């Protein structure tokens, strides 16, 4: 319900944990890059501060002149204007507190993916084969994020920009609007499917355990 504590918590929580999951995804890709290139690494306190603290900070900053709720009491609980909010506030904060970081993570992950690929091509054949197997296991994750968030980015920016105009739902159909809401929620499921598909060893062990009750 618009203005309820539950809706406020939902908006804050979904913003924080979506960004946190993507930040840690980038960290994991960086760890893989370090392993492949032979560089030492370890999970530091600074990584935790960035991956947990930065999403918390950028989620709370919009409270300066907006809040979290559901516009008109319907739809996803996220950024909504206050009675005294400037007209640019929600559009600005939906970028500054969410979409900018989503696409920064996509770009950074893709860049490291390319660096891993070119590092592999400059090595011996045996090393290149090992790295190519790792690349195969990583290559599906950036497209999943792009697929899940591209339509939502366009739709939400358009909706907030033309919030008082009939062009807010520029697709002109409820089907498109539902796709816009559902796709981000599918990111975890699609990631799990890709993990299952690419990790043949784990898949075989799991099937064996289901059939025989042990590894």
């Amino acid at each position: 319900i618009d203005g309820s504590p539950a809706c406020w918590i939902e908006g804050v929580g979904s913003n924080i944990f979506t960004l946190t999951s993507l930040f840690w995804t980038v960290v994991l890709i960086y760890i893989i890059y370090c392993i492949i290139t032979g560089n030492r690494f370890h999970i530091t306190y600074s990584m935790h501060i960035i991956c947990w603290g930065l999403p918390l900070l950028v989620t709370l900053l919009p409270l300066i002149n907006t809040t979290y709720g559901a516009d008109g009491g319907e739809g996803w609980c996220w950024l909504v204007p206050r009675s005294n909010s400037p007209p640019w506030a929600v559009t600005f904060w939906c970028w500054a507190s969410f979409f900018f970081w989503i696409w920064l993570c996509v770009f950074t992950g893709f860049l490291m993916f390319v660096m891993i690929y070119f590092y592999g091509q400059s090595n011996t054949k045996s090393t290149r084969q090992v790295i190519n197997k790792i690349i195969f296991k990583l290559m599906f994750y950036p497209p999943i994020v792009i697929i899940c968030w591209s339509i939502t980015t366009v739709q939400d920016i358009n909706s907030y920009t033309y919030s008082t105009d009939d062009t807010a739902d520029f697709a002109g159909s409820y089907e498109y609007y539902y796709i816009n809401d559902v796709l981000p929620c599918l990111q975890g499921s699609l990631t799990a499917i890709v993990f299952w598909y690419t990790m043949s060893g784990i898949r075989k062990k799991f099937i064996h355990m289901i059939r025989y009750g042990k590894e």
Side-chain angles (χ1 to χ4, degrees):
I1 300 174
D2 189 12
S4 69
C7 190
W8 191 90
I9 292 172
E10 178 188 326
V12 171
S14 62
N15 207 83
I16 291 174
F17 292 114
T18 298
L19 294 181
T20 297
S21 66
L22 288 172
F23 280 23
W24 279 114
T25 299
V26 173
V27 169
L28 291 175
I29 297 175
Y30 171 73
I31 290 173
I32 293 172
Y33 172 77
C34 289
I35 293 173
I36 290 175
T37 57
N39 295 318
R40 297 180 61 184
F41 77 91
H42 59 278
I43 302 295
T44 63
Y45 286 113
S46 61
M47 289 182 178
H48 281 282
I49 292 173
I50 293 173
C51 292
W52 293 103
L54 187 56
L56 176 63
L57 175 63
V58 299
T59 298
L60 295 181
L61 280 177
L63 297 177
I64 293 173
N65 53 17
T66 61
T67 188
Y68 290 89
D71 192 9
E74 298 179 356
W76 195 268
C77 293
W78 199 40
L79 289 171
V80 292
R82 295 176 180 171
S83 58
N84 60 346
S85 296
W88 51 265
V90 174
T91 302
F92 171 79
W93 286 119
C94 74
W95 269 106
S97 70
F98 191 72
F99 287 119
F100 169 80
W101 304 102
I102 291 284
W103 292 106
L104 179 63
C105 288
V106 172
F107 174 79
T108 305
F110 179 77
L111 180 62
M112 286 192 289
F113 177 84
V114 172
M115 292 169 63
I116 292 172
Y117 173 79
F118 282 108
Y119 180 84
Q121 301 309 305
S122 63
N123 275 272
T124 62
K125 182 178 180 180
S126 58
T127 303
R128 187 163 60 248
Q129 289 175 341
V130 173
I131 293 176
N132 286 340
K133 289 181 180 179
I134 296 174
I135 290 173
F136 172 74
K137 294 177 181 180
L138 293 175
M139 64 185 295
F140 298 101
Y141 295 106
I144 287 175
V145 178
I146 293 172
I147 290 171
C148 289
W149 289 103
S150 292
I151 294 178
T152 297
T153 301
V154 175
Q155 171 70 14
D156 283 356
I157 296 303
N158 187 78
S159 296
Y160 285 120
T161 304
Y162 304 102
S163 58
T164 59
D165 196 305
D166 291 338
T167 58
D169 183 8
F170 64 89
S173 67
Y174 284 108
E175 290 80 5
Y176 181 90
Y177 204 81
Y178 290 141
I179 291 174
N180 167 63
D181 287 341
V182 169
L183 274 179
C185 301
L186 292 178
Q187 181 181 334
S189 299
L190 293 175
T191 300
I193 292 171
V194 167
F195 180 82
W196 178 264
Y197 172 71
T198 56
M199 304 296 287
S200 59
I202 294 177
R203 184 173 66 249
K204 290 176 181 178
K205 285 186 178 181
F206 181 79
I207 294 174
H208 187 276
M209 182 180 66
I210 293 299
R211 286 181 176 177
Y212 303 105
K214 60 181 180 179
E215 296 186 7

